[in-house]
Coordinates of all heavy atoms in Angstrom, one line a residue:
M970 N 70.5 -13.6 48.2 CA 69.3 -12.8 48.4 C 68.8 -12.3 47.1 O 69.6 -11.8 46.3 CB 69.6 -11.7 49.4 CG 68.5 -10.9 49.8 SD 68.8 -9.5 50.9 CE 70.0 -10.1 52.0
D971 N 67.6 -12.5 46.8 CA 67.1 -12.1 45.5 C 66.5 -10.7 45.5 O 66.5 -10.0 46.6 CB 66.0 -13.1 44.9 CG 64.7 -13.0 45.7 OD1 64.5 -12.1 46.5 OD2 63.9 -13.9 45.4
C972 N 66.2 -10.2 44.3 CA 65.7 -8.8 44.2 C 64.5 -8.5 45.1 O 64.4 -7.4 45.7 CB 65.4 -8.5 42.7 SG 64.7 -6.9 42.4
N973 N 63.6 -9.4 45.2 CA 62.4 -9.2 46.0 C 62.7 -9.0 47.4 O 62.1 -8.2 48.1 CB 61.4 -10.3 45.8 CG 60.7 -10.3 44.4 OD1 60.6 -9.3 43.8 ND2 60.4 -11.5 44.0
D974 N 63.7 -9.8 47.9 CA 64.1 -9.7 49.3 C 64.7 -8.3 49.6 O 64.4 -7.6 50.5 CB 65.1 -10.8 49.7 CG 64.4 -12.2 49.7 OD1 63.2 -12.3 49.9 OD2 65.2 -13.2 49.6
K975 N 65.6 -7.9 48.6 CA 66.3 -6.7 48.8 C 65.4 -5.5 48.7 O 65.5 -4.5 49.4 CB 67.5 -6.5 47.8 CG 68.6 -7.5 48.1 CD 69.8 -7.2 47.2 CE 69.6 -7.8 45.8 NZ 70.8 -7.7 45.0
F976 N 64.4 -5.6 47.8 CA 63.4 -4.6 47.7 C 62.6 -4.4 49.0 O 62.3 -3.3 49.4 CB 62.4 -4.9 46.5 CG 61.3 -3.9 46.3 CD1 61.6 -2.6 45.8 CD2 60.0 -4.1 46.6 CE1 60.6 -1.7 45.6 CE2 59.0 -3.2 46.4 CZ 59.3 -2.0 45.9
S977 N 62.2 -5.5 49.6 CA 61.5 -5.5 50.8 C 62.3 -4.9 51.9 O 61.8 -4.1 52.7 CB 61.0 -6.9 51.2 OG 60.1 -7.4 50.3
I978 N 63.5 -5.2 52.0 CA 64.4 -4.6 53.0 C 64.6 -3.1 52.7 O 64.5 -2.3 53.7 CB 65.8 -5.3 53.0 CG1 65.7 -6.7 53.5 CG2 66.8 -4.5 53.8 CD1 66.9 -7.6 53.3
A979 N 64.7 -2.7 51.5 CA 64.9 -1.3 51.1 C 63.7 -0.5 51.5 O 63.8 0.7 51.9 CB 65.1 -1.2 49.6
R980 N 62.5 -1.0 51.5 CA 61.3 -0.3 51.8 C 60.9 -0.4 53.3 O 60.0 0.4 53.7 CB 60.1 -0.8 50.9 CG 60.3 -0.5 49.5 CD 59.1 -0.6 48.7 NE 58.0 0.0 49.4 CZ 57.2 0.8 48.8 NH1 57.3 1.1 47.6 NH2 56.2 1.4 49.5
S981 N 61.5 -1.2 54.0 CA 61.1 -1.5 55.4 C 61.5 -0.3 56.3 O 62.6 0.3 56.2 CB 61.8 -2.7 55.9 OG 61.6 -2.8 57.3
P982 N 60.5 0.1 57.1 CA 60.8 1.2 58.1 C 61.8 0.8 59.2 O 62.2 1.6 60.0 CB 59.4 1.5 58.7 CG 58.6 0.3 58.5 CD 59.2 -0.4 57.3
Y983 N 62.1 -0.5 59.2 CA 63.1 -1.0 60.3 C 64.5 -1.1 59.7 O 65.4 -1.5 60.5 CB 62.6 -2.3 60.8 CG 61.2 -2.3 61.3 CD1 60.1 -2.8 60.6 CD2 60.9 -1.6 62.5 CE1 58.8 -2.7 61.1 CE2 59.6 -1.5 63.0 CZ 58.6 -2.1 62.3 OH 57.3 -2.0 62.8
T984 N 64.7 -0.8 58.5 CA 66.1 -0.9 57.9 C 66.9 0.3 58.3 O 66.5 1.4 58.1 CB 66.0 -1.0 56.4 OG1 65.2 -2.2 56.0 CG2 67.4 -1.2 55.8
P985 N 68.1 0.0 58.9 CA 68.9 1.2 59.3 C 69.4 2.0 58.1 O 69.6 1.4 57.0 CB 70.1 0.5 60.0 CG 69.6 -0.9 60.3 CD 68.6 -1.3 59.3
P986 N 69.6 3.3 58.3 CA 70.1 4.1 57.2 C 71.4 3.6 56.6 O 71.7 3.8 55.4 CB 70.3 5.5 57.9 CG 69.4 5.5 59.0 CD 69.3 4.0 59.5
E987 N 72.3 3.0 57.4 CA 73.6 2.5 56.8 C 73.3 1.4 55.8 O 74.0 1.3 54.8 CB 74.5 1.9 58.0 CG 74.8 2.9 59.0 CD 73.7 3.2 60.1 OE1 72.8 2.3 60.2 OE2 73.7 4.3 60.7
I988 N 72.3 0.5 56.1 CA 72.0 -0.5 55.1 C 71.3 0.1 53.9 O 71.6 -0.3 52.7 CB 71.1 -1.6 55.8 CG1 71.7 -2.2 57.0 CG2 70.6 -2.6 54.8 CD1 73.0 -3.0 56.7
L989 N 70.5 1.1 54.1 CA 69.8 1.8 53.0 C 70.9 2.4 52.0 O 70.8 2.3 50.8 CB 68.9 2.8 53.5 CG 67.6 2.3 54.2 CD1 66.9 3.5 54.8 CD2 66.8 1.5 53.2
A990 N 72.0 2.9 52.6 CA 73.0 3.5 51.8 C 73.7 2.5 51.0 O 74.1 2.7 49.8 CB 74.0 4.2 52.7
K991 N 73.9 1.3 51.5 CA 74.5 0.2 50.7 C 73.6 -0.3 49.6 O 74.0 -0.5 48.5 CB 74.9 -1.0 51.6 CG 76.1 -0.7 52.5 CD 76.4 -1.8 53.4 CE 77.6 -1.4 54.3 NZ 77.9 -2.5 55.3
L992 N 72.3 -0.4 50.0 CA 71.3 -0.8 49.0 C 71.1 0.2 47.9 O 70.7 -0.2 46.7 CB 70.0 -1.1 49.6 CG 69.9 -2.4 50.5 CD1 68.6 -2.5 51.3 CD2 70.1 -3.6 49.7
A993 N 71.5 1.4 48.1 CA 71.3 2.5 47.1 C 72.3 2.3 45.9 O 72.1 2.8 44.9 CB 71.6 3.9 47.7
A994 N 73.3 1.4 46.1 CA 74.2 1.1 45.1 C 73.9 -0.2 44.4 O 74.7 -0.7 43.6 CB 75.7 1.1 45.6
D995 N 72.8 -0.8 44.7 CA 72.4 -2.1 44.1 C 72.3 -2.0 42.6 O 71.8 -1.0 42.1 CB 71.1 -2.6 44.8 CG 70.9 -4.1 44.5 OD1 71.4 -4.9 45.3 OD2 70.3 -4.5 43.5
E996 N 72.6 -3.1 41.9 CA 72.5 -3.1 40.5 C 71.1 -3.1 40.0 O 70.8 -2.7 38.9 CB 73.3 -4.3 39.9 CG 72.7 -5.6 40.3 CD 73.5 -6.8 39.8 OE1 74.8 -6.7 39.7 OE2 72.9 -7.9 39.6
D997 N 70.2 -3.6 40.8 CA 68.8 -3.6 40.4 C 68.1 -2.3 40.7 O 68.0 -1.9 41.9 CB 68.0 -4.8 41.1 CG 66.7 -5.0 40.5 OD1 65.9 -4.1 40.5 OD2 66.4 -6.2 40.1
Y998 N 67.6 -1.6 39.7 CA 67.0 -0.3 39.9 C 65.8 -0.4 40.8 O 65.5 0.6 41.5 CB 66.6 0.4 38.6 CG 65.3 0.0 38.0 CD1 64.2 0.7 38.2 CD2 65.2 -1.1 37.1 CE1 63.0 0.4 37.6 CE2 64.0 -1.5 36.6 CZ 62.9 -0.7 36.8 OH 61.7 -1.1 36.3
L999 N 65.0 -1.5 40.9 CA 63.9 -1.6 41.8 C 64.3 -1.5 43.2 O 63.6 -0.9 44.1 CB 63.1 -2.8 41.5 CG 62.3 -2.8 40.2 CD1 61.7 -4.2 39.9 CD2 61.3 -1.7 40.1
V1000 N 65.4 -2.1 43.6 CA 65.9 -2.0 44.9 C 66.3 -0.5 45.2 O 65.9 0.0 46.3 CB 67.2 -2.9 45.1 CG1 67.8 -2.6 46.5 CG2 66.8 -4.3 44.9
R1001 N 66.9 0.2 44.3 CA 67.2 1.6 44.5 C 65.9 2.4 44.6 O 65.9 3.4 45.3 CB 68.1 2.1 43.3 CG 69.4 1.4 43.3 CD 70.4 2.0 42.4 NE 70.0 2.4 41.1 CZ 70.1 1.5 40.0 NH1 70.6 0.3 40.2 NH2 69.7 1.9 38.8
V1002 N 64.8 2.1 43.9 CA 63.6 2.8 44.0 C 63.1 2.6 45.5 O 62.6 3.6 46.1 CB 62.5 2.2 43.0 CG1 61.1 2.7 43.4 CG2 62.8 2.6 41.6
G1003 N 63.2 1.4 46.0 CA 62.8 1.2 47.4 C 63.5 2.0 48.4 O 62.9 2.6 49.3
V1004 N 64.8 2.2 48.2 CA 65.6 3.1 49.0 C 65.2 4.5 48.8 O 65.0 5.2 49.8 CB 67.1 2.9 48.7 CG1 68.0 3.9 49.5 CG2 67.6 1.5 49.0
A1005 N 65.0 4.9 47.6 CA 64.6 6.3 47.3 C 63.3 6.7 48.0 O 63.1 7.8 48.4 CB 64.5 6.5 45.8
E1006 N 62.4 5.8 48.1 CA 61.1 6.0 48.6 C 61.0 5.9 50.2 O 60.1 6.3 50.8 CB 60.0 5.1 48.0 CG 59.8 5.4 46.5 CD 58.8 4.4 45.9 OE1 58.5 3.4 46.5 OE2 58.4 4.7 44.8
N1007 N 62.0 5.3 50.7 CA 62.0 5.0 52.2 C 62.3 6.3 53.0 O 63.3 7.0 52.8 CB 63.1 4.0 52.5 CG 63.0 3.5 54.0 OD1 62.8 4.3 54.9 ND2 63.2 2.2 54.2
P1008 N 61.4 6.7 53.8 CA 61.5 8.0 54.6 C 62.7 8.0 55.5 O 63.1 9.1 56.0 CB 60.2 8.1 55.3 CG 59.3 7.0 55.0 CD 60.1 6.1 54.1
D1009 N 63.3 6.9 55.8 CA 64.4 6.8 56.7 C 65.8 6.9 55.9 O 66.8 6.9 56.6 CB 64.4 5.5 57.5 CG 63.3 5.5 58.5 OD1 62.9 6.6 59.0 OD2 62.8 4.4 58.7
T1010 N 65.7 7.1 54.6 CA 66.9 7.3 53.8 C 67.5 8.7 54.1 O 66.8 9.7 54.1 CB 66.6 7.1 52.3 OG1 66.1 5.7 52.1 CG2 67.9 7.2 51.5
R1011 N 68.8 8.7 54.4 CA 69.5 10.0 54.7 C 69.6 10.9 53.4 O 69.6 10.4 52.3 CB 70.8 9.7 55.3 CG 70.8 9.1 56.6 CD 72.1 8.9 57.2 NE 72.0 8.4 58.6 CZ 72.9 7.6 59.1 NH1 74.0 7.2 58.4 NH2 72.8 7.1 60.3
S1012 N 69.7 12.1 53.7 CA 69.7 13.1 52.6 C 70.9 12.9 51.7 O 70.9 13.1 50.5 CB 69.7 14.5 53.1 OG 70.7 14.8 54.0
E1013 N 72.1 12.4 52.3 CA 73.3 12.2 51.4 C 73.0 11.1 50.4 O 73.4 11.1 49.3 CB 74.5 11.8 52.3 CG 74.8 12.7 53.4 CD 74.0 12.4 54.7 OE1 73.9 11.3 55.1 OE2 73.5 13.4 55.2
T1014 N 72.3 10.1 50.9 CA 71.9 8.9 50.0 C 70.9 9.4 48.9 O 71.1 9.1 47.8 CB 71.4 7.8 50.8 OG1 72.4 7.4 51.8 CG2 71.1 6.6 49.9
L1015 N 70.0 10.2 49.4 CA 69.0 10.7 48.4 C 69.7 11.6 47.3 O 69.3 11.6 46.2 CB 67.9 11.5 49.1 CG 67.0 10.7 50.0 CD1 66.1 11.6 50.9 CD2 66.1 9.7 49.2
A1016 N 70.7 12.4 47.8 CA 71.4 13.2 46.8 C 72.0 12.4 45.7 O 72.0 12.7 44.5 CB 72.4 14.1 47.5
K1017 N 72.6 11.2 46.1 CA 73.2 10.3 45.1 C 72.2 9.7 44.2 O 72.4 9.6 43.0 CB 74.0 9.2 45.8 CG 75.3 9.7 46.5 CD 76.0 8.6 47.3 CE 77.1 9.2 48.1 NZ 77.7 8.2 49.0
L1018 N 71.1 9.3 44.8 CA 70.0 8.7 44.0 C 69.3 9.7 43.1 O 68.7 9.3 42.1 CB 69.0 8.0 44.9 CG 69.5 6.8 45.7 CD1 68.4 6.4 46.7 CD2 69.8 5.7 44.7
A1019 N 69.4 11.0 43.4 CA 68.8 12.0 42.5 C 69.4 12.1 41.1 O 68.8 12.6 40.2 CB 68.9 13.4 43.2
S1020 N 70.6 11.5 41.0 CA 71.2 11.5 39.6 C 71.2 10.0 39.1 O 72.0 9.8 38.1 CB 72.6 12.1 39.7 OG 73.4 11.3 40.6
D1021 N 70.4 9.1 39.6 CA 70.4 7.8 39.1 C 70.0 7.7 37.6 O 69.2 8.6 37.1 CB 69.4 7.0 39.9 CG 69.5 5.5 39.7 OD1 68.9 4.9 38.7 OD2 70.2 4.8 40.5
I1022 N 70.4 6.8 36.9 CA 70.1 6.6 35.5 C 68.6 6.3 35.2 O 68.1 6.7 34.2 CB 71.0 5.6 34.8 CG1 70.9 5.6 33.3 CG2 70.7 4.2 35.3 CD1 72.0 4.9 32.6
H1023 N 68.0 5.7 36.2 CA 66.6 5.3 36.0 C 65.7 6.4 36.6 O 65.8 6.8 37.7 CB 66.3 4.0 36.7 CG 66.9 2.8 35.9 ND1 66.3 2.3 34.8 CD2 68.0 2.1 36.1 CE1 67.0 1.3 34.4 NE2 68.1 1.2 35.2
D1024 N 64.8 6.9 35.7 CA 63.9 7.9 36.2 C 63.0 7.5 37.3 O 62.6 8.3 38.1 CB 63.1 8.6 35.0 CG 62.1 7.6 34.3 OD1 62.2 6.4 34.5 OD2 61.3 8.1 33.6
K1025 N 62.6 6.2 37.4 CA 61.8 5.8 38.5 C 62.5 5.9 39.9 O 61.8 6.2 40.9 CB 61.3 4.3 38.3 CG 60.4 4.2 37.1 CD 59.9 2.8 36.9 CE 59.0 2.8 35.7 NZ 58.5 1.5 35.4
V1026 N 63.8 5.8 39.9 CA 64.5 6.1 41.1 C 64.5 7.6 41.5 O 64.2 7.9 42.6 CB 66.0 5.6 41.0 CG1 66.8 6.0 42.2 CG2 66.1 4.1 40.7
R1027 N 64.6 8.4 40.5 CA 64.6 9.9 40.7 C 63.2 10.3 41.1 O 63.0 11.2 41.9 CB 65.1 10.6 39.4 CG 66.5 10.3 39.1 CD 67.1 11.1 38.0 NE 66.3 11.3 36.8 CZ 66.4 10.5 35.7 NH1 67.2 9.4 35.7 NH2 65.7 10.8 34.7
V1028 N 62.1 9.7 40.6 CA 60.8 9.9 41.0 C 60.6 9.6 42.5 O 60.0 10.3 43.3 CB 59.7 9.2 40.1 CG1 58.4 9.2 40.8 CG2 59.7 9.8 38.7
G1029 N 61.2 8.4 42.9 CA 61.2 8.1 44.3 C 61.8 9.1 45.2 O 61.3 9.4 46.3
V1030 N 62.9 9.7 44.7 CA 63.6 10.7 45.5 C 62.7 11.9 45.6 O 62.5 12.5 46.7 CB 64.9 11.1 44.9 CG1 65.6 12.3 45.5 CG2 65.9 9.9 44.9
A1031 N 62.0 12.3 44.5 CA 61.1 13.4 44.5 C 59.9 13.2 45.5 O 59.5 14.2 46.1 CB 60.6 13.7 43.1
H1032 N 59.5 12.0 45.7 CA 58.4 11.7 46.6 C 58.8 11.6 48.0 O 58.0 11.7 48.9 CB 57.8 10.4 46.2 CG 56.8 10.5 45.1 ND1 55.5 10.7 45.3 CD2 57.0 10.3 43.8 CE1 54.8 10.7 44.1 NE2 55.7 10.5 43.2
N1033 N 60.1 11.4 48.3 CA 60.6 11.2 49.7 C 60.4 12.5 50.5 O 60.9 13.5 50.1 CB 62.0 10.7 49.6 CG 62.4 10.2 51.0 OD1 62.3 10.9 52.0 ND2 63.0 9.0 51.0
P1034 N 59.7 12.4 51.6 CA 59.5 13.6 52.5 C 60.8 14.2 53.1 O 60.8 15.3 53.5 CB 58.6 13.1 53.6 CG 58.8 11.6 53.6 CD 59.1 11.2 52.2
N1035 N 61.9 13.4 53.0 CA 63.2 13.9 53.6 C 64.1 14.5 52.6 O 65.3 14.8 52.9 CB 63.9 12.8 54.4 CG 63.1 12.5 55.6 OD1 62.5 13.3 56.3 ND2 63.1 11.2 56.0
T1036 N 63.7 14.5 51.3 CA 64.6 15.1 50.3 C 64.7 16.6 50.5 O 63.7 17.3 50.6 CB 64.0 14.8 48.9 OG1 63.9 13.4 48.7 CG2 64.9 15.3 47.8
P1037 N 66.0 17.0 50.6 CA 66.2 18.5 50.9 C 65.7 19.3 49.7 O 65.7 18.9 48.6 CB 67.7 18.6 51.0 CG 68.2 17.2 51.2 CD 67.2 16.3 50.6
P1038 N 65.2 20.6 50.0 CA 64.7 21.5 49.0 C 65.7 21.7 47.8 O 65.3 21.8 46.7 CB 64.5 22.8 49.7 CG 64.3 22.4 51.1 CD 65.1 21.2 51.3
E1039 N 67.0 21.7 48.1 CA 68.0 21.9 47.0 C 68.0 20.8 46.0 O 68.2 21.0 44.8 CB 69.4 22.3 47.5 CG 70.0 21.2 48.4 CD 69.6 21.3 49.9 OE1 68.7 22.1 50.3 OE2 70.3 20.6 50.7
I1040 N 67.8 19.5 46.5 CA 67.7 18.4 45.6 C 66.4 18.4 44.8 O 66.4 18.1 43.6 CB 67.9 17.1 46.4 CG1 69.2 17.0 47.2 CG2 67.7 15.9 45.5 CD1 70.4 17.1 46.3
L1041 N 65.3 18.8 45.5 CA 64.0 18.9 44.8 C 64.1 19.9 43.7 O 63.6 19.7 42.6 CB 62.9 19.2 45.8 CG 62.5 18.2 46.8 CD1 61.5 18.7 47.8 CD2 62.0 16.9 46.1
A1042 N 64.8 21.0 44.0 CA 65.0 22.1 42.9 C 65.7 21.5 41.7 O 65.4 21.8 40.6 CB 65.7 23.3 43.5
L1043 N 66.7 20.7 42.0 CA 67.5 20.1 40.8 C 66.5 19.1 40.1 O 66.6 19.1 38.8 CB 68.7 19.3 41.4 CG 69.9 20.1 41.8 CD1 70.9 19.2 42.4 CD2 70.4 20.9 40.7
L1044 N 65.7 18.4 40.8 CA 64.8 17.5 40.1 C 63.8 18.2 39.2 O 63.3 17.6 38.3 CB 64.1 16.6 41.1 CG 65.0 15.6 41.8 CD1 64.3 14.9 42.9 CD2 65.6 14.6 40.8
L1045 N 63.5 19.4 39.5 CA 62.6 20.2 38.7 C 63.1 20.5 37.3 O 62.4 20.9 36.4 CB 62.2 21.5 39.4 CG 61.2 21.4 40.6 CD1 61.1 22.8 41.3 CD2 59.9 20.9 40.1
T1046 N 64.4 20.3 37.2 CA 65.1 20.5 35.9 C 65.5 19.2 35.2 O 66.2 19.2 34.2 CB 66.4 21.4 36.0 OG1 67.3 20.7 36.8 CG2 66.0 22.8 36.6
D1047 N 65.0 18.1 35.7 CA 65.3 16.8 35.2 C 64.9 16.6 33.8 O 63.9 17.2 33.4 CB 64.7 15.7 36.1 CG 65.2 14.3 35.9 OD1 64.8 13.6 34.9 OD2 66.1 14.0 36.6
E1048 N 65.6 15.8 33.0 CA 65.3 15.6 31.6 C 63.9 14.8 31.5 O 63.3 14.9 30.4 CB 66.4 14.8 30.9 CG 66.6 13.4 31.5 CD 67.8 12.7 31.0 OE1 68.8 13.3 30.7 OE2 67.7 11.4 30.8
S1049 N 63.5 14.1 32.5 CA 62.3 13.3 32.4 C 61.1 14.1 33.0 O 61.1 14.6 34.1 CB 62.5 12.0 33.3 OG 61.3 11.3 33.4
L1050 N 60.1 14.1 32.2 CA 58.9 14.8 32.6 C 58.3 14.2 33.8 O 57.8 14.9 34.7 CB 57.8 14.8 31.5 CG 56.5 15.4 31.8 CD1 56.6 16.9 32.2 CD2 55.5 15.3 30.6
S1051 N 58.3 12.8 33.9 CA 57.8 12.2 35.1 C 58.5 12.6 36.4 O 57.9 12.6 37.5 CB 57.8 10.6 34.9 OG 59.1 10.2 34.8
V1052 N 59.8 12.9 36.3 CA 60.5 13.4 37.5 C 60.2 14.8 37.8 O 59.9 15.2 38.9 CB 62.0 13.2 37.3 CG1 62.8 13.8 38.5 CG2 62.4 11.7 37.1
R1053 N 60.2 15.7 36.7 CA 59.9 17.1 36.9 C 58.5 17.3 37.5 O 58.3 18.3 38.2 CB 60.0 17.8 35.6 CG 61.4 18.0 35.1 CD 61.5 19.0 33.9 NE 60.5 18.8 32.9 CZ 60.7 18.1 31.8 NH1 61.8 17.4 31.6 NH2 59.7 18.0 30.9
A1054 N 57.6 16.5 37.3 CA 56.2 16.6 37.7 C 56.0 16.3 39.2 O 54.9 16.6 39.7 CB 55.2 15.8 36.8
K1055 N 56.9 15.6 39.8 CA 56.7 15.1 41.1 C 57.1 15.9 42.3 O 56.5 15.8 43.4 CB 57.4 13.7 41.2 CG 56.8 12.7 40.3 CD 55.3 12.5 40.5 CE 54.8 11.5 39.5 NZ 53.4 11.4 39.5
P1056 N 58.2 16.7 42.3 CA 58.6 17.4 43.5 C 57.5 18.3 44.1 O 56.9 19.0 43.3 CB 59.8 18.2 43.1 CG 60.4 17.5 41.9 CD 59.2 17.0 41.2
P1057 N 57.3 18.3 45.4 CA 56.3 19.2 46.0 C 56.8 20.6 45.9 O 57.8 20.9 46.6 CB 56.1 18.6 47.4 CG 57.4 17.9 47.7 CD 57.9 17.4 46.3
L1058 N 56.2 21.4 45.1 CA 56.6 22.8 44.9 C 56.7 23.6 46.2 O 57.5 24.5 46.3 CB 55.8 23.5 43.8 CG 56.0 22.9 42.4 CD1 55.0 23.6 41.5 CD2 57.4 22.9 42.0
D1059 N 55.8 23.4 47.1 CA 55.8 24.2 48.4 C 57.0 23.9 49.2 O 57.5 24.8 50.0 CB 54.5 23.9 49.2 CG 54.4 22.5 49.6 OD1 54.8 21.6 48.9 OD2 53.8 22.2 50.7
K1060 N 57.7 22.8 49.0 CA 58.9 22.5 49.7 C 60.1 23.1 49.0 O 61.1 23.5 49.6 CB 59.1 21.0 49.8 CG 60.2 20.6 50.8 CD 60.2 19.1 51.1 CE 61.3 18.7 52.0 NZ 61.4 17.3 52.1
V1061 N 60.0 23.2 47.7 CA 61.1 23.8 46.9 C 61.0 25.3 47.0 O 62.0 26.0 47.2 CB 61.0 23.4 45.4 CG1 62.0 24.1 44.6 CG2 61.1 21.9 45.3
H1062 N 59.8 25.9 46.9 CA 59.6 27.3 47.0 C 58.6 27.6 48.1 O 57.4 27.7 47.8 CB 59.1 27.9 45.7 CG 59.9 27.6 44.5 ND1 61.1 28.2 44.3 CD2 59.8 26.7 43.5 CE1 61.7 27.7 43.2 NE2 60.9 26.8 42.7
P1063 N 59.0 27.6 49.4 CA 58.1 27.8 50.5 C 57.3 29.1 50.4 O 57.9 30.1 49.9 CB 59.0 27.8 51.7 CG 60.3 27.3 51.3 CD 60.4 27.5 49.8
R1064 N 56.1 29.1 50.7 CA 55.3 30.3 50.7 C 55.7 31.1 51.9 O 55.9 30.6 53.0 CB 53.8 29.9 50.8 CG 53.3 29.2 49.6 CD 51.8 29.1 49.6 NE 51.3 28.6 48.4 CZ 50.8 27.4 48.2 NH1 50.7 26.6 49.3 NH2 50.4 27.0 47.0
P1065 N 55.7 32.5 51.7 CA 56.0 33.3 52.8 C 54.9 33.3 53.9 O 53.7 33.1 53.5 CB 56.1 34.7 52.2 CG 55.7 34.6 50.8 CD 55.5 33.2 50.5
V1066 N 55.3 33.5 55.1 CA 54.3 33.4 56.2 C 53.9 34.8 56.5 O 54.6 35.7 56.5 CB 54.9 32.7 57.4 CG1 53.9 32.7 58.6 CG2 55.4 31.3 57.1

């Protein structure tokens, strides 16, 4: 299976979370980006991807609607400006009601 196939699987809404967790360890960072951006990726997998060596993977985690606030807060201190600029601040610091 080539990178394009794995990337498509990683982004698919039909891919089970268990497969996404395995793809999160793929050697190709683009596959990991697909996993990071997939809304069905579990928070445990997103937590691992939040420390990925490639900033594009970490940006994907920051964009994922299921990333827990504590992981988003960590991404706000990331060394990469492109990562720090992406977490939705209202999820990190909810406004009082």
Side-chain angles (χ1 to χ4, degrees):
M970 186 177 322
D971 70 11
C972 174
N973 290 330
D974 292 335
K975 291 189 279 185
F976 179 73
S977 295
I978 292 168
R980 293 196 47 131
S981 172
Y983 304 107
T984 303
E987 299 79 23
I988 301 297
L989 292 171
K991 289 180 182 177
L992 289 172
D995 196 87
E996 63 185 31
D997 191 303
Y998 83 94
L999 290 174
V1000 174
R1001 298 192 309 272
V1002 168
V1004 174
E1006 293 176 346
N1007 190 317
D1009 292 326
T1010 301
R1011 291 184 178 148
S1012 59
E1013 307 84 50
T1014 304
L1015 292 169
K1017 291 176 186 171
L1018 291 172
S1020 61
D1021 195 276
I1022 191 167
H1023 288 279
D1024 64 344
K1025 290 181 181 176
V1026 176
R1027 299 190 310 272
V1028 167
V1030 173
H1032 278 270
N1033 192 305
N1035 291 327
T1036 300
E1039 59 272 11
I1040 300 299
L1041 292 174
L1043 286 175
L1044 292 172
L1045 285 173
T1046 64
D1047 195 274
E1048 64 188 35
S1049 170
L1050 177 60
S1051 62
V1052 176
R1053 289 193 311 267
K1055 296 302 177 189
L1058 294 178
D1059 60 330
K1060 193 170 176 185
V1061 177
H1062 304 289
R1064 291 190 174 110
V1066 180

